[in-house]
Amino acid sequence: MNETGRAVPNEIKGWNWGAFMFNFIWGIGNKTYLPLLCLIPIFNIFWIFVVGFKGNTWAWQKGNYSDVETFKAVQATWNRAGIFQFALVVLVVLLYFFIFAAMIGSLLSDY
């Protein structure tokens, strides 16, 4: 049981990509405001992982969900968006490093 008297079902516990990638926006959308701590520089590097791991629990506690299936359907949308955003970030970072490596290689070959 939690502070609201609602037990958190085991099937909703786990990683939430939407909470991880969209942390404070996800928090506002799910009426849980601990993800706003992600706005604190340096601290946010650690806190985004906490939000990703605890997000489902917080959303269930603060939400007004009638059943687990409804909750999972709502969070599935956030998860798809989070996974897409994560893949996009990884792609951009890899592209950046490949371009940077090519530029350095080009500069070094001139000498």
Side-chain angles (χ1 to χ4, degrees):
M1 295 268 207
N2 62 24
E3 67 274 358
T4 61
R6 292 181 69 195
V8 179
N10 283 333
E11 58 264 27
I12 68 156
K13 292 180 180 178
W15 189 257
N16 187 320
W17 282 102
F20 177 71
M21 291 304 296
F22 299 109
N23 41 64
F24 71 92
I25 296 167
W26 176 91
I28 292 169
N30 284 280
K31 300 179 203 143
T32 178
Y33 301 106
L34 282 172
L36 289 173
L37 293 173
C38 290
L39 296 172
I40 300 172
I42 312 283
F43 178 72
N44 62 359
I45 296 168
F46 162 75
W47 195 247
I48 62 171
F49 291 97
V50 173
V51 173
F53 185 72
K54 296 292 286 181
N56 283 340
T57 300
W58 295 339
W60 175 263
Q61 290 170 347
K62 299 291 182 177
N64 198 11
Y65 297 101
S66 57
D67 56 35
V68 173
E69 287 72 31
T70 303
F71 176 84
K72 283 184 170 183
V74 170
Q75 294 306 315
T77 303
W78 282 103
N79 274 316
R80 281 192 301 274
I83 289 170
F84 177 78
Q85 181 73 15
F86 182 78
L88 190 62
V89 167
V90 168
L91 181 67
V92 166
V93 168
L94 287 175
L95 188 61
Y96 172 79
F97 281 117
F98 284 135
I99 290 172
F100 183 73
M103 288 173 52
I104 294 296
S106 175
L107 287 173
L108 293 177
S109 69
D110 290 340
Y111 292 105

